[in-house]
């Protein structure tokens, strides 16, 4: 009985255990089924955990787009750079065992003092970075360090932004920080979205050691490189511009400078530069962040007179031979404005007034012949009321004064109203391009990286025709006379062999510390807007130099002409329209027609030439003419120099001080000398010196200045133009510099 009771209890317990086990099994199976279905435990995604343990993911970095010049040379690109670090822990296979020896060999290569580097290498640390001189190293520098085979010295590889042409259109290009995380200025910033790459990734499964497992289902998202940008900048011209701008900056220490070179037929910007400038590879030392060519507005001075005259010609109210009384002009009851030469030049023609840069002539045209409304209408047609829309960031707008008669008067000769250099260049394309005004642009195209697929293509855009073809030609002729005629203010901008057309400007600067304008020698903005050749301009150059440090006898045209003449000559040479010395000599003039004297006795040749009013220079002791300049058929004016070389030496160089470059070229050509010219105008120094013997084919160096007689300031229009002590107080008589 007792046994049966015990057996019954045991059976019940076994049944209960079986039921409990079965229930637990059902719960466990349910839980497993739930986990399999939900793939989640306590909110944790089991799939993600598993993938995180066995799945690897790596970023595929894209490459930032490259910026190229018009010929396809990179001006901003991404390169691999290297940084150096030292492992100091003895637990590693390669570590710095001898800090002193390592420091002695490595310090000179990373621009560090040996003692400082040794101190760093003796620290109780696992590893150490070796300072700024050990970062952003080129491949060549890295190899130089690696070849030392220093224990414990290792390298990291990292991309960086590099500007191979250094201080090259730096305000145009701008810069990014070296790691390219942030674009700071210029096209680098304005085009950052296009230049920046889109990084990709690769996902794969790996074993416990991280070794990839074969899996055809690896997920790869390719990186997308940034777009490439092609500019209109021509490096042959841009590099020359940077060099001469740096020379002027060193020689004259101006407050600031800007220069623009453009193709007037298309609006393409061929070169653009500013000073102060910077090397974007060393952006920590940037002094000036402003691209003055597009972001700075100022009162431009007399360069604007070309647009006043163009407006008058177009309206039919210009007669070059009409006369007026120069000196001063009463604008209204409160103000009288003078020419830059206070006493004027007496009664002169409007043509002469333009060549002499007379303010009075412009005011008469603007107020009495055109009228204020028509003047401002043409200013609008020439684009001075609107931004040009050039594809560069931070373009400034203009400030045109138009509140009354006095504002119209000063605006007519470039004072009182402020415009930007790029606006002047755009407006001048209408004069150079037969009346058609072209929009300036600097981005030629944007393309997919490593592909010919074009994302954006730019080209010439006409933005108006403010004047007719006939008016443009007449204005160019006047601008040519500004440079070529003795009374013109632009004599310093003559280039042998070319007819240069242009207009000078000497603008006043508002005084930041007192009412009115700054005074004193050199406290102006000196500028020139020029084009060449005059009859069909292929190149335009605008230069503005603010407050150069001038000696007592120096004038503002000297730093400006150094830049303009250098770049215009370089540009014309590059475009293959530069004349040879012989072509320079063959320019046709009215008067005596040069005969062929070669093979004729020297006495007969001299007699004939002197009878026709020529100044004759003979070189050598021979009795027969062997070479001559000018050549046969060239027209000469009375009093011109003719150079004859005889059939026997020695050939002694004459004293050519004060000679024009044209006459010096005659000597160089007749002796077949290699001629190197610095400056323009009249010879100041020569080498070899006068009286020295030269051989056929030797070299001749000539240094020229803009004035034949530096002591004679009274007759120099450019000097007079810039030396007045001026004041724009409208309550008194006003004398405004050109």
């Amino acid at each position: 009985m007792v046994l049966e009771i015990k057996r019954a209890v045991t059976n019940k317990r076994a049944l209960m255990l079986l039921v409990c086990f079965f229930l637990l099994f059902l719960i466990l199976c349910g839980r497993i089924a739930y986990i399999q279905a939900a793939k989640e435990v306590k909110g944790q995604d089991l799939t993600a955990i598993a993938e995180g343990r066995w799945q690897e993911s790596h970023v595929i970095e894209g490459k930032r787009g490259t910026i190229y010049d018009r010929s396809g040379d990179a001006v901003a690109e991404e390169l691999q750079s290297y940084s150096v670090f030292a492992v100091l822990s003895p637990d590693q296979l390669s570590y710095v065992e001898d800090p002193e020896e390592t420091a002695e060999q490595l310090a000179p290569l990373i621009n560090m003092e040996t003692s400082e580097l040794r101190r760093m290498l003796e620290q109780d640390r696992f590893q150490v970075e070796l300072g700024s001189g050990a970062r952003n190293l080129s491949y060549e520098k890295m190899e130089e360090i690696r070849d030392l085979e220093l224990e414990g010295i290792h390298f990291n590889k990292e991309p960086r932004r590099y500007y191979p042409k250094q201080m090259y259109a730096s305000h145009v290009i701008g810069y990014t920080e070296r790691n390219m995380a942030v674009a700071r200025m210029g096209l680098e910033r304005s085009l950052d979205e296009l230049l920046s790459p889109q990084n990709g990734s690769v996902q794969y499964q790996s074993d416990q050691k991280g070794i990839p497992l074969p899996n055809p289902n690896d997920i790869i998202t390719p990186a997308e490189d940034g777009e490439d940008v092609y500019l209109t900048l021509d490096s042959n011209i841009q590099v020359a511009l940077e060099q001469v701008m740096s020379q002027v900056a060193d020689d004259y220490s101006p407050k600031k400078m800007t220069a623009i070179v453009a193709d007037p037929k298309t609006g393409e910007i061929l070169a653009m530069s500013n000073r102060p400038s910077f090397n974007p590879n060393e952006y920590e030392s940037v002094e000036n962040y402003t691209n003055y060519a597009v972001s700075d507005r100022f009162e431009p001075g007399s360069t604007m007179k070309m647009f006043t005259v163009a407006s008058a010609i177009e309206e039919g109210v210009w007669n070059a031979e009409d006369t007026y009384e120069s000196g001063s002009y009463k604008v209204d009851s409160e103000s009288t404005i003078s020419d830059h030469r206070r006493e004027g030049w007496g009664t002169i023609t409007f043509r002469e007034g333009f060549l002499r840069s007379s303010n009075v002539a412009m005011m008469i045209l603007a107020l009495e012949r055109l009228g204020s409304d028509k003047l401002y209408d043409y200013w609008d047609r020439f684009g001075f009321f609107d931004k040009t829309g050039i594809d560069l960031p931070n373009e400034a707008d203009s400030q045109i004064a138009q509140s009354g008669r006095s504002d119209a008067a000063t605006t007519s000769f470039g004072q009182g109203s402020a415009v930007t250099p790029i606006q002047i260049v755009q407006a001048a394309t209408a004069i150079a391009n037969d009346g058609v005004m072209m929009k300036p642009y600097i981005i030629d195209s944007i393309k997919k990286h490593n592909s010919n697929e074009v994302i954006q293509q730019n080209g010439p855009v006409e933005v108006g025709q403010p004047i007719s073809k006939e008016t443009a030609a007449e204005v160019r002729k006047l601008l040519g006379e500004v440079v070529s005629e003795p009374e013109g203010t632009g004599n310093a901008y003559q280039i042998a062999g070319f007819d240069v057309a242009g207009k000078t400007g000497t603008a006043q600067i508002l005084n930041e510390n007192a009412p009115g304008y700054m005074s004193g020698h050199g406290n102006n903005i000196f500028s020139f807007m020029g084009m060449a050749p005059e009859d069909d301009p292929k190149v335009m150059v605008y230069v503005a130099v603010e407050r150069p440090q001038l000696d007592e006898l120096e004038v503002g045209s000297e730093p400006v002409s150094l830049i303009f003449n250098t770049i215009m000559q370089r540009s014309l040479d590059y475009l293959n329209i530069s004349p040879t010395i012989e072509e320079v000599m063959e320019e046709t003039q009215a008067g005596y027609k040069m005969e062929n004297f070669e093979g004729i006795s020297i006495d007969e040749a001299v007699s004939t030439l002197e009878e026709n009013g020529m100044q004759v220079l003979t070189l050598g002791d021979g009795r027969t003419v062997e070479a001559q300049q000018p050549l046969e058929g060239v027209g000469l004016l009375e009093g011109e120099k003719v150079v004859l070389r005889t059939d026997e030496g020695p050939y002694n160089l004459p004293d050519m001080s004060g000679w024009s470059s044209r006459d010096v070229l005659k000597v160089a050509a007749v002796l077949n000398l290699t001629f190197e010219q610095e400056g323009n105008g009249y010879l100041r120094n020569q080498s070899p010196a006068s009286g020295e013997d030269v051989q056929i084919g030797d070299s001749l160096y000539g240094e020229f200045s803009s004035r034949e007689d530096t002591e004679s300031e009274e007759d120099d229009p450019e000097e007079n133009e810039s030396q007045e002590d001026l004041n724009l107080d409208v309550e008194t008589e006003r004398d405004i510099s050109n």
Side-chain angles (χ1 to χ4, degrees), residues 121-290:
L121 298 178
E122 290 174 345
Q123 296 180 82
D124 184 17
R125 297 175 60 182
F126 179 79
Q127 69 180 47
V128 64
E129 302 289 337
L130 300 182
S132 60
R135 294 193 293 268
N136 300 303
L137 302 180
S138 66
Y139 179 78
E140 291 75 17
K141 178 64 72 173
M142 181 274 293
E143 277 196 319
E144 186 178 359
I145 295 173
R146 187 176 61 186
D147 290 344
L148 296 176
E149 298 182 348
L150 299 173
E151 284 294 328
I153 300 301
H154 303 275
F155 302 91
N156 281 325
K157 184 177 179 181
E158 54 197 15
R160 69 169 175 132
R161 199 62 164 169
Y162 181 63
Y163 302 89
K165 296 182 184 291
Q166 312 293 318
M167 192 186 294
Y168 173 103
S170 52
H171 289 92
V172 172
I173 307 302
Y175 70 91
T176 71
E177 294 184 354
R178 291 186 184 88
N179 60 7
M180 296 173 289
V182 180
R184 291 297 184 186
M185 61 180 290
L187 292 174
E188 288 276 34
R189 181 171 181 177
S190 64
L191 300 178
D192 187 44
E193 187 173 341
L194 286 169
L195 291 165
S196 296
Q198 299 295 322
N199 290 337
S201 64
V202 57
Q203 295 179 348
Y204 58 90
Q205 290 184 342
S206 63
D207 60 17
Q208 291 181 348
K209 297 180 180 180
I211 299 174
L213 300 174
N215 188 345
N217 296 320
D218 289 347
I219 302 173
I220 300 175
T221 303
E224 293 185 16
D225 294 335
E227 320 295 2
D228 292 334
V229 178
Y230 292 80
L231 305 180
T232 62
L233 295 180
D234 190 306
S235 287
N236 288 280
I237 301 173
Q238 183 71 44
V239 170
L241 180 59
E242 299 294 355
Q243 291 172 345
V244 73
M245 292 278 278
S246 293
Q247 179 183 344
V248 170
D250 291 341
D251 292 346
Y252 294 93
S253 303
K255 183 71 174 179
K256 59 186 181 183
M257 296 189 293
T258 191
I260 304 171
V261 185
D263 182 340
K265 307 299 183 186
T266 63
E268 292 173 289
I269 301 300
L270 304 178
M272 181 180 288
S273 183
N274 301 275
R275 290 296 181 277
S277 188
F278 64 95
N279 181 348
N281 294 311
E282 302 170 359
Y283 56 80
E284 295 87 353
S285 59
V286 176
E287 177 183 351
N288 163 46
Y289 289 90
T290 303

Side-chain angles (χ1 to χ4, degrees), residues 96 131 135 163 216 228 291 313 379 455 495 560 620 661 708 718:
V96 177
R135 294 193 293 268
Y163 302 89
D228 292 334
N291 183 355
I313 294 173
W379 249 235
I455 305 301
I495 298 177
V560 178
S661 58
E708 185 172 7
E718 179 68 22

Side-chain angles (χ1 to χ4, degrees), residues 191 229-232 266 268 389-391 439-446 454-461:
L191 300 178
V229 178
Y230 292 80
L231 305 180
T232 62
T266 63
E268 292 173 289
I390 188 173
D391 41 9
K439 177 180 179 179
Y441 69 100
I442 205 165
I443 298 174
D444 176 75
S445 61
I446 300 175
V454 178
I455 305 301
Q456 176 183 328
Q457 181 68 59
N458 294 332
V461 176

Side-chain angles (χ1 to χ4, degrees), residues 44 369 379 465 468 584 673-674 700:
Q44 300 294 318
R369 299 194 174 188
W379 249 235
Q465 186 169 353
S468 66
V584 171
L673 302 178
T674 300
L700 173 63

Side-chain angles (χ1 to χ4, degrees), residues 279-522:
N279 181 348
N281 294 311
E282 302 170 359
Y283 56 80
E284 295 87 353
S285 59
V286 176
E287 177 183 351
N288 163 46
Y289 289 90
T290 303
N291 183 355
Y292 299 128
V294 299
S295 302
D296 188 31
R297 59 172 175 254
F298 57 89
E299 299 178 23
S302 292
T303 52
M304 303 299 284
K305 289 175 180 174
M306 71 173 78
F307 305 112
T308 298
V309 170
S311 305
I313 294 173
E314 185 70 13
E315 284 298 303
V317 297
W318 164 269
N319 187 328
E321 300 309 313
D322 282 353
T323 60
Y324 72 99
E325 187 65 30
S326 63
S328 62
Y329 183 82
K330 189 171 184 178
V331 177
D332 50 39
S333 60
E334 296 181 336
S335 60
T336 297
I337 301 177
S338 300
D339 279 317
H340 55 82
R341 182 180 183 182
R342 295 176 185 272
E343 67 273 21
W345 305 270
T347 301
I348 58 175
T349 65
F350 278 90
R351 172 189 167 276
E352 183 178 346
F354 180 68
L355 302 192
R356 293 189 182 279
S357 204
S358 167
N359 298 332
V360 173
M362 297 303 107
M363 289 185 286
I364 293 173
L365 290 176
L367 300 180
E368 298 182 15
R369 299 194 174 188
L370 280 169
S372 299
D373 291 343
K374 186 61 69 173
L375 175 72
Y376 288 121
D377 176 50
Y378 273 94
W379 249 235
D380 188 23
R381 295 187 198 184
F382 277 112
F384 290 115
F385 282 89
D386 302 304
K387 297 179 181 180
T388 67
I390 188 173
D391 41 9
L392 285 171
N394 304 319
E395 182 180 5
D397 56 6
S398 60
Q399 288 184 342
I400 307 298
Q402 49 182 333
S403 60
R405 181 178 173 86
S406 181
D407 283 343
T410 56
T411 296
S412 72
F413 55 83
Q415 206 73 36
S417 292
V419 299
T420 64
I422 197 65
Q423 285 180 311
I424 297 173
V425 169
Q426 176 179 270
T429 62
I431 294 171
N433 194 36
D434 290 337
V436 179
M437 189 164 66
M438 306 302 295
K439 177 180 179 179
Y441 69 100
I442 205 165
I443 298 174
D444 176 75
S445 61
I446 300 175
K447 298 180 180 180
K448 285 283 189 182
H449 184 65
N450 291 330
S451 168
N452 288 324
E453 182 182 350
V454 178
I455 305 301
Q456 176 183 328
Q457 181 68 59
N458 294 332
V461 176
E462 297 180 9
V463 289
Q465 186 169 353
I467 55 176
S468 66
K469 178 180 179 180
E470 293 73 22
T471 296
E474 187 169 353
V475 175
R476 289 199 303 271
K477 183 175 183 297
L478 287 167
L479 294 174
E481 293 174 350
V482 167
V483 176
S484 63
E485 294 299 313
E487 63 267 37
T489 59
N491 294 166
Y493 302 93
Q494 295 179 30
I495 298 177
F498 292 103
D499 293 325
V500 175
K503 187 69 190 75
T504 57
T506 307
Q508 294 177 283
I509 305 171
L510 283 170
N511 196 326
E512 298 177 355
N513 302 316
Y517 288 83
M518 298 181 70
S519 61
H521 184 50

